Amino acid sequence: MTEPVVSFNRVTKRFKDLPAIDALSFDVRPGEFLTLLGPSGCGKTTILRLIAGLEAPDSGEIRIDGRRVDNMPPNRRDVNTVFQSYALFPHMSVFQNVAFGLKMKRVPPDALDQRVRATLQMVQLEGLAERRIHQLSGGQQQRVAVARAIVNRPRVLLLDEPFSALDARLRKQMQLEMKRLHRRLGITFIFVTHDQNEAISMSDRIAVMDHGRIEQVGTPQQIYEEPENLFVARFVGEINVFDGEVLQVADGALEGRVEGVVLKLPGRRGLKPGDRVKVLLRPEDLVVTKEAEGCDQPHLKGRVEELIYKGTTVDLIIRLGDGKPVFATEFFNEDAASISYQPDEPVCISWVHGWEVILPDEG
Amino acid sequence: MRRWSRRAYLAAVYLFLYLPLAVLVIYSFNDSRYAAGWKGFTLQWYARLLTNEQLLQSLVNSLVVALLSSIVATAIGTLAAVAFHRYRFPGRRVFYGMLYAVMMSPDIVMGISLLMFFILVGLEIGLLTLLLSHITFCLPFVVVTVYARISGFDPHVLEAAKDLGASEFQTFRHVLLPMLLPAVASGWLLSFTLSLDDVIVSFFVTGPTFEILPLKIYSMVRLGVKPEINALSSLLFGFTLVSVILSQLLVREKRA
């Protein structure tokens, strides 16, 4: 096991007695792209500021490369930040902004010039070196902020919602460039966002956060397909949550009642007959069949309430007998060239056995 | 019609502001001892001014005091503004509020209280007491001007500097100070002019050994306004006009 590049050991930070993060422990592996994902106010920015040294923890240990840094000032840490507001120096040119860190480290002028130019090229700003900051577009300022941080070749690059001010197209493009930079530089990236799509498409690992705690850490696939609790399931992507009850447990499989229908469910440790559970299914995992065409498997019954055409998919909102809405996504394919339902048409909902996620009901 | 009335209004405002100054400048070239109508063009008052050593000495004294006190006030005031912004200490708000009390208290109160203070601590009235007084009343103006600008900054800019490896001093020297420069410059200019034309406070805190221009003029006009004073005032006005234009040009150069 390689030594973590950043490690938190029961770190707590309070603002006016409200814990922003509470006894938090986690490790960042060298070279990985780790995303801290969570709603605003969940403490993810506080973690970045603690790593950068812009805040000091109230208790606990923070280590960078095995060295304790709790009270080391930011200018002595081998870590650089891309701020959400970019925080560029308005009185300097693009070149001077990027050169700032090297100048503080007294890098000789020749080497400095060469490294700044190489970095500007890496972020495709080589023609704009002499521009002033206010002459640049938002996307260009963003690139300057990135260049200013990576030119120092830090151990860890911290990115605090760096794309939140960009429009959707530019954001997509910057996400791709950031992944490319990450591969090329081999620097550890710690990225903060509240955008789950951004997190899923960019990260090696995601830490989903809520109220100053990490709810789950895992690869994007683990987070999406095997959420460990309802918060993670609901925060990452659309998901249907059905109420269920365990009826029987036998040989690692369950029999349960889901929304009033008796079904076979995959087993899960720690469940016993009588336990209330939540059965989770992604919209794209549901199979919708018209009742008129006959439904064989055990299924839930509902009526089509709304049909939303999305280009490559059609989203259905189906109302169950007890009034609970269910979201289902149908893909166009050869054998179902057109997907059409009458309003209020009765349908059956089923799914492939084993694709559901079963969580104990937290109450 | 609307356009015409707008121009007339503008002209009236300018007339109100600058007519008295124009009269002063015109009379400085008037070939007459008294302000009683135009008697022809002359430069004799300017020539006589150059030979009036007392008056010139007081002008030099005034410039020295204004320059020294504005520089010291700007240095202390800038650091104070940075401290108000950077540190949270007990009494911070009270201290900041007191600055306004100093700015708004009547000159006569300041003059008397400073004089009593100097007598109390046994300082002899002269250049030193004058300097100390001018620094005192200029200081709040610098602090308020500079603090207003710091408060408008993105606080992350200073954090970014530290994040990139700058020490506290390097952050001040390479980021904070250059960004504050316009406010520091205007704070200095404000101090310089306040110091240069102060009469009331100076009246209390300087003695006959060190005479400054406003007081000298004040004592001279008690015997009637002499044309030399018109000439001197015109020169001062011209000096002010040129420095204002220069500073405006410098600011515009920066923006381009």
Side-chain angles (χ1 to χ4, degrees):
Chain A
M1 184 68 200
T2 47
E3 196 185 352
V5 60
V6 174
S7 95
F8 272 49
N9 187 9
R10 298 193 58 78
V11 174
T12 298
K13 173 71 188 174
R14 286 170 219 279
F15 292 112
K16 294 187 177 162
D17 291 336
L18 280 171
I21 62 167
D22 198 6
L24 194 76
S25 302
F26 71 97
D27 286 339
V28 183
R29 299 170 188 158
E32 78 171 328
F33 194 126
L34 176 75
T35 297
L36 304 175
L37 174 68
S40 57
C42 71
K44 52 198 194 302
T45 296
T46 305
I47 293 180
L48 281 201
R49 294 176 60 83
L50 284 165
I51 300 173
L54 299 169
E55 306 282 355
D58 294 324
S59 65
E61 291 177 16
I62 300 172
R63 288 173 191 276
I64 298 176
D65 274 333
R67 267 179 77 197
R68 232 178 125 168
V69 295
D70 309 357
N71 290 307
M72 189 188 275
N75 47 319
R76 293 189 36 223
R77 300 188 187 199
D78 196 6
V79 164
N80 289 116
T81 309
V82 177
F83 290 86
Q84 187 172 12
S85 62
Y86 310 150
L88 299 173
F89 305 126
H91 59 291
M92 296 183 192
S93 68
V94 169
F95 185 95
Q96 290 168 319
N97 262 281
V98 177
F100 188 83
L102 300 179
K103 215 173 116 190
M104 293 304 113
K105 287 193 199 109
R106 307 194 194 288
V107 171
D110 286 352
L112 178 142
D113 194 77
Q114 198 209 327
R115 275 173 73 179
V116 172
R117 303 232 172 256
T119 308
L120 285 175
Q121 200 167 4
M122 221 183 286
V123 297
Q124 292 154 41
L125 284 176
E126 57 268 48
L128 303 177
E130 300 313 319
R131 289 277 180 93
R132 297 240 142 213
I133 297 308
H134 64 87
Q135 295 171 304
L136 302 179
S137 70
Q140 289 167 335
Q141 293 189 5
Q142 224 274 304
R143 285 158 197 267
V144 178
V146 171
R148 187 178 67 172
I150 62 174
V151 74
N152 305 294
R153 293 295 163 95
R155 284 289 285 153
V156 184
L157 183 69
L158 307 172
L159 301 115
D160 187 6
E161 308 220 13
F163 309 138
S164 56
L166 305 179
D167 64 53
R169 259 188 63 199
L170 204 50
R171 184 184 269 239
K172 270 261 159 56
Q173 190 191 338
M174 285 308 296
Q175 288 171 3
L176 287 174
E177 282 187 34
M178 214 45 87
K179 282 207 76 164
R180 190 176 53 87
L181 270 179
H182 175 246
R183 275 198 303 274
R184 191 166 157 190
L185 295 170
I187 297 174
T188 309
F189 278 37
I190 303 179
F191 185 91
V192 159
T193 185
H194 61 261
D195 180 337
Q196 33 133 338
N197 291 322
E198 202 164 86
I200 287 176
S201 62
M202 295 179 76
S203 326
D204 295 328
R205 285 200 305 157
I206 298 174
V208 183
M209 293 192 61
D210 188 36
H211 290 108
R213 287 198 317 271
I214 291 182
E215 298 287 348
Q216 185 176 356
V217 186
T219 63
Q221 199 174 354
Q222 284 169 340
I223 297 283
Y224 190 78
E225 293 182 0
E226 298 151 35
E228 281 171 9
N229 55 47
L230 272 179
F231 175 79
V232 175
R234 286 202 170 113
F235 193 76
V236 181
E238 287 275 358
I239 201 152
N240 294 297
V241 180
F242 297 116
D243 292 311
E245 187 189 351
V246 180
L247 297 177
Q248 271 186 47
V249 183
D251 312 329
L254 300 173
E255 192 180 57
R257 189 185 288 126
V258 177
E259 302 289 335
V261 179
V262 176
L263 297 167
K264 287 251 174 277
L265 297 170
R268 188 191 151 96
R269 262 194 295 169
L271 288 177
K272 54 187 191 302
D275 282 351
R276 304 204 56 80
V277 291
K278 297 282 187 192
V279 177
L280 276 47
L281 279 152
R282 297 281 177 199
E284 63 272 21
D285 292 343
L286 293 176
V287 180
V288 180
T289 331
K290 295 182 185 187
E291 208 173 79
E293 292 169 7
C295 317
D296 38 7
Q297 289 170 293
H299 56 257
L300 310 181
K301 278 186 169 34
R303 286 171 183 276
V304 174
E305 184 169 283
E306 196 111 41
L307 190 147
I308 303 148
Y309 177 72
K310 286 266 182 78
T312 52
T313 61
V314 165
D315 286 359
L316 294 173
I317 301 176
I318 298 162
R319 189 81 54 188
L320 296 184
D322 64 355
K324 175 178 271 195
V326 174
F327 299 90
T329 301
E330 302 250 296
F331 291 85
F332 290 103
N333 55 31
E334 280 87 31
D335 46 284
S338 72
I339 300 169
S340 69
Y341 293 92
Q342 301 299 318
D344 249 6
E345 181 160 354
V347 292
C348 329
I349 303 166
S350 58
W351 56 88
V352 177
H353 178 75
W355 284 14
E356 61 278 74
V357 172
I358 297 169
L359 296 175
D361 198 330
E362 289 153 2
Chain B
M1 188 61 201
R2 268 185 70 97
R3 227 173 101 156
W4 186 86
S5 65
R6 211 183 302 168
R7 282 188 183 176
Y9 177 71
L10 206 62
V13 170
Y14 279 117
L15 220 61
F16 180 77
L17 286 174
Y18 292 110
L19 196 60
L21 284 166
V23 169
L24 173 88
V25 175
I26 291 166
Y27 269 76
S28 74
F29 295 110
N30 191 7
D31 194 4
S32 159
R33 281 231 129 248
Y34 310 101
W38 185 251
K39 294 275 160 50
F41 181 83
T42 180
L43 284 175
Q44 65 158 306
W45 310 122
Y46 287 88
R48 211 180 279 192
L49 179 67
L50 288 176
T51 61
N52 188 338
E53 270 181 37
Q54 268 192 335
L55 202 58
L56 285 181
Q57 183 58 48
S58 64
L59 173 66
V60 170
N61 286 350
S62 261
L63 288 174
V64 166
V65 169
L67 204 63
L68 286 177
S69 60
S70 61
I71 288 172
V72 175
T74 304
I76 301 176
T78 303
L79 291 176
V82 171
F84 274 121
H85 177 75
R86 175 77 175 70
Y87 301 104
R88 297 282 170 276
F89 48 89
R92 179 174 158 274
R93 280 174 177 280
V94 178
F95 267 120
Y96 193 74
M98 298 276 274
L99 289 176
Y100 284 91
V102 173
M103 274 198 288
M104 294 198 285
S105 65
D107 281 358
I108 191 107
V109 175
M110 279 214 66
I112 292 173
S113 55
L114 282 164
L115 177 64
M116 283 168 61
F117 174 73
F118 291 141
I119 291 170
L120 194 73
V121 298
L123 271 179
E124 202 170 317
I125 298 302
L127 172 61
L128 181 65
T129 52
L130 195 63
L131 269 179
L132 288 174
S133 309
H134 282 213
I135 292 167
T136 307
F137 70 70
C138 289
L139 195 57
F141 291 91
V142 179
V143 179
V144 169
T145 316
V146 176
Y147 186 75
R149 184 158 168 101
I150 303 190
S151 313
F153 285 168
D154 175 1
H156 295 308
V157 170
L158 297 182
E159 289 182 346
K162 282 182 204 136
D163 184 70
L164 290 165
S167 63
E168 199 84 30
F169 176 74
Q170 284 172 317
T171 305
F172 178 76
R173 162 78 185 73
H174 294 289
V175 178
L176 191 53
L177 196 59
M179 283 171 72
L180 285 180
L181 213 54
V184 173
S186 61
W188 176 80
L189 200 64
L190 199 59
S191 304
F192 186 79
T193 36
L194 280 171
S195 166
L196 197 61
D197 72 9
D198 175 72
V199 178
I200 301 172
V201 176
S202 306
F203 175 78
F204 287 96
V205 296
T206 190
T209 51
F210 194 84
E211 199 157 31
I212 56 170
L213 191 65
L215 288 180
K216 177 77 183 163
I217 292 174
Y218 185 67
S219 65
M220 281 168 77
V221 293
R222 273 191 262 185
L223 313 166
V225 179
K226 286 197 180 132
E228 286 117 298
I229 294 190
N230 290 343
L232 180 64
S233 305
S234 301
L235 283 178
L236 280 176
F237 174 65
F239 172 73
T240 317
L241 202 63
V242 170
S243 28
V244 167
I245 291 171
L246 272 180
S247 70
Q248 290 289 318
L249 281 179
L250 279 176
V251 168
R252 190 181 304 172
E253 198 86 336
K254 270 267 169 80
R255 282 206 193 112

